[in-house]
Amino acid sequence: MSLPGPLPEATDGSGDRCADTHGCRPVTIVEIDRGWHEAARRARLLSWISLGYMATEGLVAIVAAVVAGSVALLGFGLDSAIEGAASVIVIWRFTGTRTLSPTVEKRAQKAVAVTFFLLAPYIAYDAVTALTARDRPQTSWVGIALAITSMIVMPLLGRAKRHLGARLGSATTSGEGTQNLLCAYLAGAVLVGLLGNALWGWWWLDPVVALAIAVLAVWEGTKTWRGDECC
């Protein structure tokens, strides 16, 4: 069984049919078979796993940040809530009758894109605050261990979700996977900042890299809003 509708046709990127093909791209028709339903179940399961990890990551990071006085580590913990929202959206998307709804996919896709736009200014604000305040946190080995763990776990989840997103034709799932990859990049920035500060006093490394990640988040959010992530 395939999704309702004709063969692939041009759209303007918002899901509306174009009057002509100028500036439009074809829609991919995804076959909904047993494999598709299994992929949807796996996407939902991975989102539950991500949600649990984000809750743990956020709690540990916030406690470690308070102890060490690290603004960057605090930001890393708080943005877990925003990233967790993307997991909730994917779980909602692939639960019950919504699983087969193209309309719900479009709404969920936009919602995930919004979480990118929420994440970007938060990271940027945190980075600018750290730079202007010349924040020099104490060494946090708990924070360093957490950052290393996230750099290992998040890419695994992110790549798996992007693969499932391509199989499902779901920009929502692919977008959540990209957020997991951004979480890994942010963890790397936090790790560089914590180690640089601990070993050489390079306190400014973390906020500088975080600013670059904020720009990347805006770019990826724009792609998800357009639906490019599933391709």
Side-chain angles (χ1 to χ4, degrees):
M1 180 175 67
S2 299
L3 286 171
L7 293 174
E9 58 186 328
T11 69
D12 60 4
S14 64
D16 298 327
R17 189 176 302 177
C18 293
D20 56 56
T21 58
H22 179 68
C24 299
R25 60 179 181 277
V27 173
T28 301
I29 300 299
V30 180
E31 183 180 358
I32 301 181
D33 52 14
R34 181 177 299 177
W36 190 95
H37 282 282
E38 176 61 21
R41 185 191 68 80
R42 290 177 59 196
R44 188 171 61 247
L45 175 61
L46 288 179
S47 292
W48 275 114
I49 293 173
S50 295
L51 187 59
Y53 183 85
M54 287 297 176
T56 303
E57 176 190 74
L59 179 61
V60 173
I62 290 172
V63 172
V66 171
V67 172
S70 170
V71 176
L73 191 55
L74 180 62
F76 181 61
L78 292 178
D79 77 16
S80 296
I82 298 176
E83 294 176 28
S87 297
V88 172
I89 292 167
V90 173
I91 293 168
W92 173 81
R93 159 70 180 95
F94 289 109
T95 299
T97 58
R98 291 185 294 271
T99 301
L100 296 176
S101 172
T103 302
V104 169
E105 165 62 26
K106 201 69 178 177
R107 289 164 57 191
Q109 170 192 321
K110 302 292 188 185
V112 169
V114 169
T115 64
F116 276 105
F117 300 139
L118 291 174
L119 183 61
Y122 186 88
I123 296 175
Y125 173 80
D126 184 66
V128 171
T129 300
L131 280 172
T132 54
R134 300 179 64 87
D135 181 60
R136 297 174 181 270
Q138 299 177 17
T139 300
S140 174
W141 295 111
V142 172
I144 289 173
L146 177 64
I148 292 174
T149 302
S150 294
M151 289 174 63
I152 296 172
V153 174
M154 287 295 102
L156 295 176
L157 289 171
R159 293 191 188 100
K161 290 173 187 175
R162 286 173 65 87
H163 176 75
L164 288 171
R167 171 65 180 90
L168 295 166
S170 172
T172 305
T173 305
S174 295
E176 190 205 357
T178 300
Q179 279 211 3
N180 292 153
L181 294 177
L182 283 176
C183 179
Y185 301 152
L186 184 57
V190 171
L191 179 62
V192 168
L194 292 175
L195 286 177
N197 180 66
L199 299 177
W200 303 290
W202 295 349
W203 59 272
W204 45 267
L205 276 177
D206 177 27
V208 167
V209 177
L211 281 174
I213 293 174
V215 174
L216 180 61
V218 173
W219 171 254
E220 293 294 349
T222 302
K223 288 170 58 181
T224 301
W225 183 273
R226 295 198 307 253
D228 294 347
E229 283 290 348
C230 65
C231 303

